[in-house]
Amino acid sequence: MHYLWKRTLLMTGATLLSSGMAYAQTPDLSDPPEIDGEKVGDHGSVTLRMGLGLAESSPQYISSEYFADILEQRSDGRITVNVFPNSQLGDDVQMMEMLQTGTLDMTYPSSSPATSYVEELAVFDLPFLLPTREAAVAAMRSEAAQEMLDAFDGTGIKALAFSENGFRQLSNSAREVSSPEDVAGLDVRGLAIRTMENPVHLDIWEALGANPTPMAFGELFSAMEQGVVDGQENPWSTILTSNFYEVQEFGSETRHVYTPFIKMISERTWDDLDPEYQALIQEAALKAADYEIQLSAEYDDWSRNQLEERGMKITRLDDEQIAAFQEAVQPVYEEWAPRIGEDLVEEFQQIAESSITE
């Protein structure tokens, strides 16, 4: 299985990142589940190109290699997936557009830039809506979430499965942040924070007094290095595997938004596949998504600790500090809940409450 030897390379540090530096360590990750199930019939050879935003050491990439192995084994090598990490083929927005035109077969973006296709996905961008991973997984596996995936039909994109991008944390090169006032600056300028190209995220950081700057992920390292922006917000694992600690002195464990990834395939590619191949790809996508969520959970705290070892000063916010951030971003709910759908927001709130009480 090509997954195994590529994972060996990861564990020995042969991972090159977009900043041009090598990141050599990974946590003690769980092995992928056994590949089982009947082999599919011979419906011809298919090669799928999948573009990713993150590095080879990320859970996104590792789980994508597992996805490729499932398809390869259960098709007797007739379905091959070539994975291109590090935004080699473009950013999330560009790669989704390539799916629409059929110039790329698959991609794995965050849900946030995909709201231009399915506006209801913005429910995942509402700040502090999903307080725990258990709540987030329950939301991603809900009937409402499946309806969002189905809503891509007819856009040129088929959405296969949600998995975890993770809880977003703030990093910056200017100052320690433990309150909304630290973001706004008060006596100094507000922080210039890179955001995804998503209007809810822009409103979150505007509510906190920052200067939000939409920017493609592939441009972010150099923008921080050159001082174009002060900081950014991403899960700890992304901050680590992208070497952002080299240009970001401060981190704050805000957990302000939980964003999923969505595994996608071009409708043009999908429609050309035999139904048996389609069913296998859908099944493999769900299995790989579950594995990615597991990897992401294993990576999270470990990544934060690794960042501290590399010199990042991380502030862990207590409940009172988090509450101050929650209060500051209430205008985002007033603006967006009616547009997303009050019923959908309430359903996700109920899912979150149920996961806490269980």
Side-chain angles (χ1 to χ4, degrees):
M1 294 188 297
H2 66 278
Y3 170 83
L4 293 178
W5 65 259
K6 287 191 176 183
R7 186 164 185 264
T8 301
L9 290 179
L10 291 173
M11 301 304 285
T12 56
T15 301
L16 296 179
L17 302 182
S18 56
S19 66
M21 302 295 290
Y23 180 72
Q25 288 183 275
T26 55
D28 185 15
L29 299 173
S30 296
D31 290 330
E34 291 292 327
I35 298 174
D36 54 18
E38 295 182 2
K39 293 187 178 182
V40 297
D42 184 353
H43 306 292
S45 296
V46 175
T47 299
L48 303 174
R49 296 167 67 246
M50 179 191 292
L52 307 180
L54 299 186
E56 294 96 326
S57 56
S58 67
Q60 185 190 54
Y61 179 88
I62 297 170
S63 66
S64 295
E65 288 298 297
Y66 174 56
F67 170 76
D69 276 339
I70 295 173
L71 297 183
E72 182 179 10
Q73 280 201 36
R74 291 189 55 193
S75 69
D76 270 340
R78 287 184 288 271
I79 302 177
T80 301
V81 181
N82 294 327
V83 183
F84 298 86
N86 290 315
S87 301
Q88 292 178 47
L89 305 183
D91 62 33
D92 282 351
V93 173
Q94 292 168 331
M95 288 191 285
M96 284 188 287
E97 291 172 349
M98 292 168 70
L99 260 58
Q100 289 183 291
T101 61
T103 53
L104 179 65
D105 299 302
M106 299 190 71
T107 190
Y108 206 174
S110 169
S111 62
S112 297
T115 56
S116 60
Y117 299 95
V118 177
E119 188 173 27
E120 289 82 0
L121 285 168
V123 70
F124 286 104
D125 296 304
L126 291 174
F128 304 102
L129 178 61
L130 299 171
T132 66
R133 178 171 282 106
E134 291 74 19
V137 171
M140 289 190 293
R141 298 296 181 256
S142 68
E143 183 176 337
Q146 182 60 50
E147 290 174 358
M148 293 180 216
L149 297 179
D150 294 340
F152 277 92
D153 291 352
T155 65
I157 295 170
K158 181 170 179 60
L160 298 171
F162 284 110
S163 69
E164 176 167 305
N165 188 346
F167 285 102
R168 306 185 76 83
Q169 322 286 5
L170 174 66
S171 74
N172 81 97
S173 59
R175 54 184 175 265
E176 181 179 350
V177 172
S178 59
S179 69
E181 289 76 18
D182 294 328
V183 176
L186 297 182
D187 296 333
V188 293
R189 65 178 175 82
L191 294 174
I193 301 297
R194 176 267 177 182
T195 70
M196 291 182 286
E197 298 174 72
N198 176 283
V200 183
H201 284 242
L202 290 171
D203 285 352
I204 290 170
W205 291 102
E206 286 177 356
L208 291 170
N211 175 25
T213 305
M215 183 182 298
F217 184 80
E219 302 170 6
L220 178 53
F221 187 94
S222 60
M224 293 188 295
E225 187 175 37
Q226 296 166 16
V228 175
V229 293
D230 298 311
Q232 60 82 56
E233 40 88 60
N234 261 300
W236 291 132
S237 59
T238 302
I239 295 171
L240 177 67
T241 59
S242 301
N243 285 358
F244 289 167
Y245 59 87
E246 295 177 2
V247 291
Q248 299 278 272
E249 182 178 355
F250 303 99
S252 298
E253 195 160 45
T254 50
R255 296 171 64 89
H256 51 277
V257 168
Y258 179 97
T259 47
F261 285 129
I262 307 175
K263 191 180 292 293
M264 299 174 168
I265 187 168
S266 168
E267 282 191 339
R268 295 191 184 193
T269 301
W270 181 260
D271 290 343
D272 286 341
L273 295 170
D274 182 89
E276 194 173 19
Y277 280 6
Q278 291 177 343
L280 174 58
I281 289 170
Q282 178 66 76
E283 181 183 346
L286 291 169
K287 288 185 176 180
D290 287 341
Y291 182 46
E292 195 276 341
I293 292 169
Q294 181 179 357
L295 292 176
S296 185
E298 294 168 358
Y299 237 111
D300 196 35
D301 288 344
W302 181 88
S303 297
R304 180 194 60 200
N305 295 338
Q306 288 292 311
L307 288 166
E308 288 182 313
E309 288 186 14
R310 283 157 178 74
M312 182 177 278
K313 300 174 184 176
I314 292 179
T315 302
R316 292 165 170 78
L317 305 185
D318 60 29
D319 290 344
E320 184 176 342
Q321 291 169 319
I322 290 291
F325 278 92
Q326 291 174 311
E327 182 177 355
V329 297
Q330 281 308 299
V332 179
Y333 278 83
E334 295 168 10
E335 170 70 20
W336 282 97
R339 296 172 62 176
I340 295 168
E342 299 278 5
D343 291 345
L344 178 59
V345 174
E346 183 177 348
E347 182 174 349
F348 269 45
Q349 288 172 331
Q350 291 174 350
I351 290 172
E353 292 171 3
S354 297
S355 70
I356 294 171
T357 57
E358 286 177 354

